[in-house]
Amino acid sequence: GKTNSLHDFVRLAFASANLNPEDYLISDDTLLRPSDIHHSAMNPGLIRSELNWQAKLGLAEIVQSMLEDKVL
C-alpha cells in the first residue's frame, strides 16, 4: 500500500478540475484540537490475507473517477 495525505487528495482533486486550492481553501492551525488525528496508517497485508482483497486503483485514479462521475 501507499500512504496518502488529505493534502495529497485535495491537491489532486483541485488539479484535476484545473483549480488552485489556495484560491478556495484556508487552513487555520488555531482551529486544530488536541484530539485531532495527525497521522493515521494501516497495513493492508491483513486485508489482503484475510479478505483476499487488494486495491486496484491509486489515489490519482480514484480522484479522477470521482470527478468524472460528478461532471459527466
Side-chain angles (χ1 to χ4, degrees), residues 45-54:
L46 185 60
I47 292 173
R48 191 170 23 254
S49 67
E50 294 290 320
L51 302 177
N52 196 28
W53 182 88
Q54 183 172 334

Side-chain angles (χ1 to χ4, degrees), residues 2-16 19-22 25-27 29 37-39 59-60 63:
K2 182 180 182 307
T3 301
N4 295 288
S5 68
L6 180 58
H7 181 266
D8 295 335
F9 176 81
V10 169
R11 183 181 48 78
L12 284 168
F14 274 79
S16 294
L19 298 171
N20 179 1
E22 293 177 4
L25 304 176
I26 298 170
S27 179
D29 290 342
I37 298 172
H38 297 281
H39 178 81
L59 184 62
V63 168

Side-chain angles (χ1 to χ4, degrees), residues 20-35:
N20 179 1
E22 293 177 4
D23 293 339
Y24 298 90
L25 304 176
I26 298 170
S27 179
D28 185 348
D29 290 342
T30 65
L31 299 176
L32 295 175
R33 299 167 296 208
S35 61

